[in-house]
Amino acid sequence: MNIVKKLIVLTALLSAAGHVTAQPKMIPNAGIIPAPVKIEFNSRQFLLGQRTEIVCQPGEAKPAATFLREELKVRKGWDLPLVRLGKVGGSCISLELDSHPNDSPEGYLLKVTADRVTLRAASAAGLFYGVQSLLQMVAAQSGTNLASVILPGVSITDAPRFEWRGFLLDESDHFYGKQTVEEILDLMASLKLNRFHWHLTDDYGWRVEIKSYPKLTQIGASRNFEHTNTPPQFYTTADIREIVEYAQQRHIVIVPEIDMPGHATAATMAYPEFGEGGTGHWAGFTFHPAKPETYDFLKNVLREICDLFPGKYIHLGGDEVWFGNRQWTNDPTIVKFTRDLGYTNSVQLEGYFNRRMARVVHELGRTPLGWDELVAADADPKYTGVFWWRQDKTNILTEAAARDYHVVLCPRLPTYLNYVQDDFEKVGRRWKKIFNSIDRVYDFPDKIIADNVPAGKEKNIIGVEGCLWTEFVPDRNRAHYMIFPRIAAIAEGAWTPAKRKSEADFMARLPAFLRELDRRQIPHYDPFNPLPSLEPAGCTNQDYKLPPTE
Ligand code: ACM
């Protein structure tokens, strides 16, 4: 008997016995995004409502239990009792930390039966992800009745495919502020994404307070992509600490990016003595690579960054240095420095700069990361991770994996979310007319891995990331519209094993996620009813000639 028939029979039986009369909606994978590794439906159903107790041991299980309780209060208005294990009276949701329920540190087991929901995990993160799945099941089943929700009986065994499940937000080109960042962190957590790559510095704005160099924010934060004289917009050290804690509570590591030696204009406008290279529109694009003072300055900045961000990773950028290093040969001190090092050109000097700064981060006790230019720079693969973004240069991915770099896949096609998602859109990027529709995003990353990663080197691909670059994203509403719901497709590629993925199944689960975005008042694109309503007026990239990438 198939599951639908079983549920119909069971509901009839329960109804005859005076129990639950309604039945849960049959939604693939119980409405969970990303789809879990394994899900089996059983013929029971659980009535979740005001009288359900949440049960947990004191200690590490408590934050996930409290999170569940708070979310159900906000979403349903229920004030469920939180009780200690062993004191349970009626039907309950029980959260248990268990040393070996699953062999993944972020995995969990979730079982829904008639009188109990049991969630087990080996870590607080695993319990948190189990809670996210449970909340999605509740959202998928929710109707207008606030008094109760009927959950289908399931047994779920789940764990992530990739360790790195990331999202990049560029706040240099436009600044959105704490509330928008926290909205994004909440939704990342619901999709089990765990790395927030925060692009805090670039040409159009420096967005993090550095106490030793106040002009970085006094001058470097007073601009954005459109305007050169705005009030300063940046995060104070207190803001950063608050956001870091907010992310930690959601099991998200914040990865700050301090871009160098290029994309440095905001910094070199504040401290011109550390800049050299770039002309015209790109004046001040690079840090001066031959002055000892530049390296001292950057090391001091990175020390403060390490103090603000407790996570293991610091991203050093390293991309598109070409816009600035073409002028390095005009500077006699750089020419001499290049020659003294035994090099013959600026690209070799760029490599020296990148290797030297990666070593600084390593010596500060953190893992240096950079864009895929770090492969040509020959940064040390023993401790440096690279982000493959140039989808037109597949040889770099192949080389990086072959040389045992840890690689995060974030190719422009299909993971750049500033690329438009529908043909009608005018504002946003395309690559030779190709854009990043949700189905293209969903169809990632397996073909890229199969076609370009040498056999036996697949383990070097540590994860995937969606990126929102914000030149043409002037405000919070447009940012959300570009991120959601495509980030859900990225999340499924990051978490769900390739053989469990199905676009049709994903699209059947998406409406509940879109309803959840509406509940949170998050503007989003709707693939079922596409409308160009959020295109920003007066901001079209047709007016801008974006430079070639090299
Ligand atoms: C990049 O898009 N320049 C990494």
Side-chain angles (χ1 to χ4, degrees):
M1 195 163 26
N2 73 26
I3 184 68
V4 178
K5 283 192 191 140
K6 271 190 196 159
L7 279 167
I8 291 168
V9 170
L10 179 88
T11 308
L13 288 174
L14 283 172
S15 148
H19 286 90
V20 182
T21 50
Q23 52 179 294
K25 293 177 221 158
M26 293 311 301
I27 299 168
N29 282 302
I32 299 168
I33 298 178
V37 172
K38 187 165 167 214
I39 181 163
E40 283 166 357
F41 287 88
N42 61 54
S43 57
R44 279 156 244 145
Q45 52 195 29
F46 181 85
L47 188 67
L48 175 59
Q50 327 244 22
R51 302 239 206 96
T52 308
E53 294 177 329
I54 301 177
V55 184
C56 76
Q57 302 138 321
E60 265 200 274
K62 188 133 182 235
T66 307
F67 184 89
L68 173 64
R69 182 173 184 278
E70 293 302 315
E71 283 295 313
L72 289 174
K73 199 188 285 178
V74 171
R75 296 172 189 219
K76 297 281 164 202
W78 301 335
D79 202 2
L80 305 190
L82 191 58
V83 298
R84 284 173 74 119
L85 203 60
K87 301 231 163 131
V88 55
S91 76
C92 70
I93 303 171
S94 166
L95 282 73
E96 297 164 23
L97 266 178
D98 179 328
S99 53
H100 286 293
N102 193 319
D103 58 8
S104 158
E106 295 176 294
Y108 66 92
L109 306 174
L110 178 64
K111 196 158 184 190
V112 177
T113 60
D115 58 355
R116 203 177 182 89
V117 175
T118 311
L119 174 55
R120 292 169 60 210
S123 69
L127 283 183
F128 183 76
Y129 291 140
V131 163
Q132 295 296 351
S133 292
L134 185 57
L135 287 169
Q136 288 182 339
M137 286 177 68
V138 172
Q141 294 298 334
S142 289
T144 47
N145 175 13
L146 282 179
S148 60
V149 169
I150 302 165
L151 298 179
V154 287
S155 185
I156 295 173
T157 307
D158 206 5
R161 173 180 182 186
F162 289 115
E163 155 198 347
W164 190 286
R165 307 181 298 280
F167 170 68
L168 173 146
L169 181 68
D170 161 19
E171 281 208 88
S172 174
D173 285 301
H174 286 100
F175 181 84
Y176 307 107
K178 207 162 23 178
Q179 188 192 329
T180 303
V181 167
E182 290 181 355
E183 285 169 346
I184 292 171
L185 291 171
D186 284 339
L187 282 152
M188 284 179 66
S190 89
L191 295 166
K192 306 186 177 81
L193 295 169
N194 66 350
R195 301 282 184 264
F196 180 61
H197 178 171
W198 207 358
H199 189 77
L200 286 164
T201 75
D202 205 311
D203 305 313
Y204 295 97
W206 181 286
R207 306 294 181 202
V208 50
E209 179 183 26
I210 301 294
K211 299 270 190 201
S212 330
Y213 299 102
K215 285 191 287 183
L216 283 173
T217 42
Q218 284 161 3
I219 295 173
S222 300
R223 55 209 303 263
N224 63 28
F225 188 72
E226 285 130 17
H227 303 287
T228 47
N229 197 9
T230 67
Q233 291 186 301
F234 64 95
Y235 294 101
T236 64
T237 55
D239 292 332
I240 297 275
R241 289 189 207 288
E242 199 182 302
I243 294 170
V244 164
E245 192 184 332
Y246 194 88
Q248 276 171 339
Q249 286 163 355
R250 286 153 184 76
H251 298 275
I252 294 170
V253 176
I254 300 194
V255 181
E257 179 178 347
I258 307 297
D259 209 342
M260 61 183 78
H263 288 295
T265 313
T268 64
M269 281 185 60
Y271 292 95
E273 61 272 36
F274 304 131
E276 182 61 281
T279 53
H281 181 73
W282 303 105
F285 186 81
T286 33
F287 287 114
H288 196 296
K291 284 189 181 171
E293 298 83 0
T294 306
Y295 294 97
D296 292 343
F297 162 75
L298 289 171
K299 191 167 176 177
N300 292 336
V301 167
L302 290 173
R303 277 211 192 91
E304 289 199 32
I305 290 291
C306 287
D307 190 41
L308 286 174
F309 295 94
K312 183 165 139 188
Y313 312 97
I314 305 288
H315 201 293
L316 294 175
D319 55 323
E320 299 180 306
V321 183
W322 182 79
F323 295 127
N325 70 11
R326 286 171 295 168
Q327 281 79 40
W328 285 354
T329 47
N330 301 338
D331 180 321
T333 52
I334 299 181
V335 171
K336 178 169 182 324
F337 191 68
T338 308
R339 207 177 302 125
D340 289 351
L341 286 167
Y343 303 143
T344 54
N345 63 55
S346 299
V347 174
Q348 289 169 318
L349 183 59
E350 172 190 330
Y352 164 87
F353 183 105
N354 281 326
R355 287 192 301 282
R356 181 164 166 175
M357 292 313 301
R359 198 168 54 243
V360 165
V361 169
H362 177 62
E363 284 166 7
L364 287 169
R366 304 298 174 89
T367 300
L369 306 172
W371 297 106
D372 61 33
E373 283 87 341
L374 263 62
V375 178
D378 199 25
D380 194 333
K382 283 201 288 300
Y383 57 71
T384 314
V386 297
F387 287 57
W388 181 66
W389 66 282
R390 291 178 291 181
Q391 86 293 339
D392 52 327
K393 297 191 183 323
T394 53
N395 58 314
I396 299 178
L397 170 58
T398 306
E399 181 185 344
R403 291 178 57 197
D404 291 332
Y405 282 99
H406 280 178
V407 183
V408 173
L409 301 177
C410 50
R412 282 175 290 219
L413 298 177
T415 71
Y416 274 22
L417 303 181
N418 47 311
Y419 279 55
V420 300
Q421 52 201 323
D422 207 311
D423 214 12
F424 62 65
E425 290 188 88
K426 291 191 273 314
V427 180
R429 297 200 67 183
R430 293 166 203 249
W431 183 273
K432 298 180 185 157
K433 302 206 170 115
I434 303 173
F435 55 92
N436 291 336
S437 57
I438 193 161
D439 51 328
R440 288 206 179 99
V441 178
Y442 192 81
D443 190 25
F444 168 79
D446 293 288
K447 184 162 165 34
I448 283 173
I449 296 175
D451 289 351
N452 302 296
V453 176
K457 296 292 182 183
E458 295 85 355
K459 68 174 188 333
N460 289 333
I461 308 302
I462 61 162
V464 301
E465 186 164 289
C467 303
L468 186 70
W469 300 97
T470 60
E471 291 96 320
F472 307 111
V473 182
D475 55 31
R476 171 243 185 216
N477 286 357
R478 183 66 179 175
H480 285 332
Y481 179 86
M482 298 306 273
I483 298 168
F484 301 106
R486 286 183 293 180
I487 194 68
I490 301 259
E492 190 137 313
W495 182 281
T496 307
K499 61 179 183 322
R500 283 272 299 136
K501 284 182 67 184
S502 148
E503 192 186 334
D505 186 293
F506 173 75
M507 293 309 276
R509 282 172 282 134
L510 202 55
F513 182 68
L514 300 183
R515 281 201 306 277
E516 179 56 17
L517 293 173
D518 293 339
R519 183 187 72 77
R520 292 170 187 254
Q521 299 184 309
I522 301 290
H524 60 84
Y525 172 78
D526 182 347
F528 305 103
N529 183 23
L531 290 173
S533 57
L534 282 159
E535 293 228 75
C539 177
T540 157
N541 65 353
Q542 288 160 349
D543 298 334
Y544 293 93
K545 281 239 172 319
L546 282 170
T549 47
E550 59 230 282

